[in-house]
Amino acid sequence: MSQPRPGTRDRRAMLLEAVRHGSGGIAELAEEFGVSESTIRRDLASLAGAGHVVRTYGGALDTERSPREKDREHAAAKDAIAREAAALVQDGEVVLLDAGTTTGRLARHLAHREGLTVVTNGVTAIRELAGFPGIDLVVLGGRVRHPNEAILGETVLAQLRHISPDRVFLGADGVVPGRGLCCPSLEQSVVKHAMLHAGAEAYVLADHSKLDQAPFSYWTPLDRDYRLVTDEPEIDVLFPQFAGSVILAGPSEIVGGAAHHGRRGS
C-alpha cells in the first residue's frame, strides 16, 4: 500500500530541506516528491515570497540559513564589529537592536553593563540579555519569523512610533551603496526602515562579506545619516561611497601611513 502524499504545508517544508541539501532542479524535485513540475514551481514561488529561497532559472537556490549557522560564518569579524559598536554606547542610553547575528553579539557585549535600556525585536539579543538585571530589556511584540528569529508585524511598527532611542544598530544580509540594506522579506525591510528612522544615531553592522551583496529581493533604503561599522580594512578603496561614514573594527590598520583605530570619517 502506497504512502499518502504530504499536504501542501508539509511538502513545502520538505522541499525547503531538499533545496538546502543541494537539490534545486524543478524536474528533479518533481520526481522526488511525486508531483507535477507546475506544483513545484508554485511551491518554490511561495518559498521565495517568504524569503526562504531565491528562484533561479530552472530551479532554486537556498540563501537563508538559521542564526546558528550564520553566526559561525566570519565569527571573528562579527565579534570585532560588535565590540566596536558596544564601545559607542554610553551609560544610561536607550539602545535599539535589530534582529541578527552581529547585533546578537553586540547584545552579549552589552549584557554586563549597568543602567542601559535595550529595545529589540531579535530573539538572539533577548537570549543574551534576559538574565542580566542591569539591563532594562524591552521586547517588541509580534510574530517570530523563521529561520532568522526576527519579531515582525504591525504591532512592532506601532511600538516603534512610541520610542526615541539614543542609538539604533541594524544588521544586514547585504549592503549595496546607493540601494540600502538587502532583506529576506518585505515585512522585514519595512521594520528595518522604521528602526533606521527611530534613533538619534543610526549604525549598520556589516562584516566584509556583506558589502555590495544582494542575496534577496527586498530593500531598506538608507535614506538618513548613518555610520557603517565594518571590518573591511580597504573600505576606502573598495567602497569609496562609505569612506566618509565608516567605523573600522578590529586591530589597528595602516591607512595612508598612519595607524587608525576604530572611527573614521566625521
Side-chain angles (χ1 to χ4, degrees):
M1 184 176 178
S2 61
Q3 294 291 324
R5 291 181 180 177
T8 300
R9 180 174 295 184
D10 290 340
R11 185 182 63 247
R12 287 175 180 172
M14 295 164 64
L15 178 60
L16 180 57
E17 284 301 309
V19 172
R20 284 176 171 164
H21 286 87
S23 300
I26 287 177
E28 173 190 357
L29 292 167
E31 181 178 359
E32 179 178 347
F33 287 92
V35 296
S36 67
E37 293 186 12
S38 61
T39 296
I40 291 296
R41 288 190 180 93
R42 285 195 296 271
D43 288 346
L44 291 175
S46 176
L47 291 171
H52 297 306
V53 300
V54 170
R55 291 292 307 277
T56 63
Y57 181 77
L61 172 67
D62 170 50
T63 57
E64 192 173 13
R65 297 166 304 286
S66 71
R68 182 170 297 181
E69 291 172 313
K70 292 170 68 173
D71 193 51
R72 290 196 293 264
E73 298 176 345
H74 311 291
K78 290 178 178 180
D79 206 55
I81 290 167
R83 285 197 308 270
E84 195 69 48
L88 299 168
V89 178
Q90 304 298 311
D91 291 343
E93 288 189 337
V94 177
V95 178
L96 176 60
L97 297 187
D98 185 18
T101 55
T102 309
T103 51
R105 286 175 178 263
L106 169 55
R108 187 181 307 167
H109 285 287
L110 295 176
H112 295 280
R113 300 277 293 271
E114 296 287 337
L116 293 180
T117 298
V118 177
V119 184
T120 186
N121 73 326
V123 174
T124 301
I126 295 168
R127 290 194 189 105
E128 295 290 348
L129 296 171
F132 292 87
I135 301 294
D136 184 10
L137 178 61
V138 179
V139 177
L140 297 172
R143 176 180 54 82
V144 178
R145 181 185 181 275
H146 296 285
N148 67 343
E149 299 183 343
I151 302 172
L152 304 173
E154 288 296 328
T155 52
V156 174
L157 295 173
Q159 291 167 58
L160 285 172
R161 290 194 286 270
H162 294 277
I163 65 172
S164 54
D166 298 288
R167 302 178 198 274
V168 54
F169 295 94
L170 297 177
D173 289 281
V175 186
V176 176
R179 189 68 191 272
L181 305 182
C182 187
C183 304
S185 73
L186 178 60
E187 190 176 30
Q188 195 158 0
S189 71
V190 172
V191 168
K192 283 180 180 285
H193 193 253
M195 287 184 164
L196 174 70
H197 287 271
E201 300 286 340
Y203 305 85
V204 173
L205 310 184
D207 67 72
H208 61 278
S209 71
K210 309 290 182 60
L211 302 180
D212 207 29
Q213 297 300 307
F216 300 109
S217 302
Y218 306 99
W219 295 89
T220 297
L222 292 170
D223 51 2
R224 63 155 292 180
D225 291 339
Y226 71 96
R227 306 295 299 275
L228 173 67
V229 188
T230 185
D231 67 312
E232 175 53 69
E234 298 183 10
I235 188 82
D236 297 350
V237 176
L238 298 176
F239 304 100
Q241 304 94 324
F242 294 133
S245 61
V246 71
I247 297 174
L248 185 60
S252 61
E253 304 291 344
I254 304 299
V255 180
H260 289 250
H261 299 261
R263 184 170 312 212
R264 236 190 265 172
S266 58

